[in-house]
Amino acid sequence: MNNFAKTVDLLHRAMDVTTVRRQVIANNMANANVPDFKRSTVNFESELKRALDTGSQKPALELKLTHEKHIPNYKERDYRDVQIRRVLDYTSTYNNNGNNVDPEQEAILAVENQMSYMMFAQAANFEFSQLNRVLRN
């Protein structure tokens, strides 16, 4: 896969993550006063980083497998296999009623998320403008 396609694919996936994160934040805020409600978070970036890093973590000596049941000492992960996961936060409590949603924190996360979406959209726009410039010449 060439660099342009990979970059655009990663930007598209990042924009998808911000869309899911916006839905999760909105759900958290809507349930801020519901007793025993547990907020959700989105887990994606750390798993994506691990998948992308497997290409650079290839061992100096890769074992040769002589049987299909042998366990390899290295397996490169494809970043496209990383899924967006919603994770419930059971470890914290914000209110006395068991609810762990802090509306102020969720509002900050919503603003950060919106700024991230705008940045990814601008980066995608830049990538396509560069391609358009090359095609015109």
Side-chain angles (χ1 to χ4, degrees):
M1 177 181 285
N2 66 34
N3 285 341
F4 173 77
K6 185 174 182 179
T7 301
V8 169
D9 186 40
L10 285 169
L11 287 169
H12 180 257
R13 291 174 59 88
M15 291 173 74
D16 287 346
V17 170
T18 58
T19 302
V20 172
R21 189 168 279 128
R22 180 174 42 112
Q23 294 167 350
V24 167
I25 292 169
N27 184 56
N28 290 343
M29 291 177 84
N31 291 289
N33 295 320
V34 175
D36 297 321
F37 178 82
K38 298 299 181 189
R39 69 183 293 274
S40 295
T41 59
V42 174
N43 183 351
F44 179 76
E45 290 84 354
S46 59
E47 282 299 313
L48 178 64
K49 182 178 180 344
R50 275 192 222 121
L52 291 171
D53 286 348
T54 60
S56 63
Q57 295 173 343
K58 194 170 187 177
L61 177 66
E62 192 170 348
L63 301 177
K64 181 176 180 180
L65 305 179
T66 57
H67 192 272
E68 70 270 0
K69 291 190 178 184
H70 287 168
I71 300 172
N73 69 329
Y74 171 76
K75 183 178 180 187
E76 188 170 351
R77 284 182 63 192
D78 189 351
Y79 75 91
R80 293 171 289 194
D81 294 335
V82 177
Q83 299 297 316
I84 301 169
R85 291 185 2 189
R86 297 173 191 225
V87 180
L88 283 175
D89 177 8
Y90 284 106
T91 61
S92 63
T93 302
Y94 177 73
N95 293 326
N96 289 334
N97 64 2
N99 187 311
N100 64 352
V101 177
D102 178 358
E104 290 179 14
Q105 183 64 31
E106 295 296 327
I108 292 168
L109 291 172
V111 170
E112 288 176 356
N113 189 59
Q114 181 62 32
M115 291 172 62
S116 294
Y117 183 88
M118 291 177 4
M119 181 190 67
F120 295 138
Q122 288 175 350
N125 186 37
F126 174 77
E127 289 294 322
F128 283 108
S129 70
Q130 293 297 318
L131 179 63
N132 191 19
R133 184 174 297 157
V134 168
L135 293 176
R136 274 193 263 147
N137 291 331

